[in-house]
Amino acid sequence: MQTQQTTRQVPLTFRVVGTDQTIVVTDFHAVVAGYTGRDPKAVQHHIDELAAIGVAPPPEVPMFYRMDSDLFETSGEHDTTENLTSGEIEPLYIRHDGKYYLGIGSDHTDRDIEARDIGDSKRACPKPVSNEVIAVESLKDLDLDECTARSWVDGALYQEGSLSGLLKPADVVERLLARTDIGDADFMCLGGTLPLLNGKFVDGTSWKLELSFPNGTTIEHNYKIKKGSLR
């Protein structure tokens, strides 16, 4: 997969947790990673389930879907169509000026389109991301297994659990760089998610994301979806 670095109309500004620093990102490759489960058998089972309802299997695993960088937003206010759309919490891997940062975001997706084309379903929706990030000294040493990820929809708990079922951050980034033409450029990549508590997509309007670390550090993001605003 070849990706294109795109220039945003509105730069993204992130506050670096625990410091008085901010980073401003304008030109970057925007990617959503899919099928990032650590257990190959579980990933294949998911692929088989999707194939049974007519969704074509990915040409490679994990799969990296190119996005327009303007889909990544920290505003907290987003528009979607009248279709069934839903989000989920994911780690956000950022490389800016050669340094790595960790945030969180939501791969908000059009579930009606998803039955026909997964890539198009992801490109049909905004990608809300937190405006705070954590500086990562060593991507290789970044381990999220002991973190707790949660999401809520309209006040109801939607996801809760560890990220130990996902490929480690360094594994995702290593494969991303090996398969694309990103090179040394800036990028943002959503890295996968954990199962839904009830196994059913919820078409909500108010979403909350949270990633908690063993040391007490927490990253949060809230966003709202306005239905029927996109035609």
Side-chain angles (χ1 to χ4, degrees):
M1 179 201 73
Q2 298 296 303
T3 59
Q4 297 179 350
Q5 188 176 14
T6 54
T7 302
R8 292 179 53 83
Q9 295 181 357
V10 180
L12 288 177
T13 300
F14 298 94
R15 180 179 68 86
V16 182
V17 174
T19 75
D20 58 358
Q21 300 176 345
T22 60
I23 60 172
V24 180
V25 187
T26 302
D27 302 332
F28 63 94
H29 296 267
V31 183
V32 173
Y35 305 99
T36 56
R38 198 176 298 180
D39 181 350
K41 291 183 179 179
V43 173
Q44 187 58 52
H45 178 68
H46 180 54
I47 292 172
D48 293 341
E49 287 180 324
L50 293 175
I53 60 173
V55 179
E60 56 188 5
V61 174
M63 186 69 184
F64 297 105
Y65 300 95
R66 173 186 178 270
M67 302 286 123
D68 188 305
S69 65
D70 279 328
L71 291 176
F72 283 61
E73 294 185 41
T74 60
S75 67
E77 300 286 340
H78 310 282
D79 299 329
T80 64
T81 67
E82 289 288 357
N83 291 345
L84 168 61
T85 71
S86 67
E88 53 204 14
I89 183 170
E90 304 203 7
L92 175 68
Y93 308 131
I94 300 174
R95 187 174 68 188
H96 174 61
D97 287 346
K99 298 180 180 179
Y100 285 99
Y101 302 87
L102 172 71
I104 57 173
S106 175
D107 176 20
H108 210 90
T109 298
D110 188 314
R111 303 301 173 182
D112 293 338
I113 298 177
E114 189 175 38
R116 303 191 300 272
D117 188 289
I118 293 178
D120 286 348
S121 71
K122 296 178 181 299
R123 299 181 190 102
C125 294
K127 304 300 172 208
V129 297
S130 61
N131 60 7
E132 55 182 10
V133 296
I134 294 175
V136 177
E137 292 185 10
S138 169
L139 189 65
K140 183 178 180 180
D141 294 332
L142 178 61
D143 190 340
L144 303 180
D145 286 9
E146 300 302 319
C147 295
T148 299
R150 298 182 180 91
S151 69
W152 292 261
V153 185
D154 296 333
L157 188 62
Y158 189 54
Q159 293 171 286
E160 183 176 37
S162 78
L163 298 178
S164 59
L166 298 180
L167 291 172
K168 291 185 178 295
D171 291 337
V172 175
V173 171
E174 179 180 335
R175 299 182 197 205
L176 170 65
L177 296 178
R179 295 180 187 175
T180 67
D181 62 349
I182 289 177
D184 295 327
D186 287 2
F187 70 80
M188 294 189 194
C189 178
L190 287 168
T193 193
L194 64 158
L196 309 181
L197 289 177
N198 64 3
K200 296 181 180 180
F201 295 126
V202 174
D203 194 4
T205 57
S206 179
W207 297 76
K208 179 180 178 180
L209 315 175
E210 178 187 275
L211 184 63
S212 300
F213 295 78
N215 65 2
T217 300
T218 299
I219 303 177
E220 297 182 355
H221 185 58
N222 295 275
Y223 71 94
K224 295 184 181 297
I225 289 292
K226 184 177 181 182
K227 298 286 294 181
S229 302
L230 297 180
R231 303 294 181 183

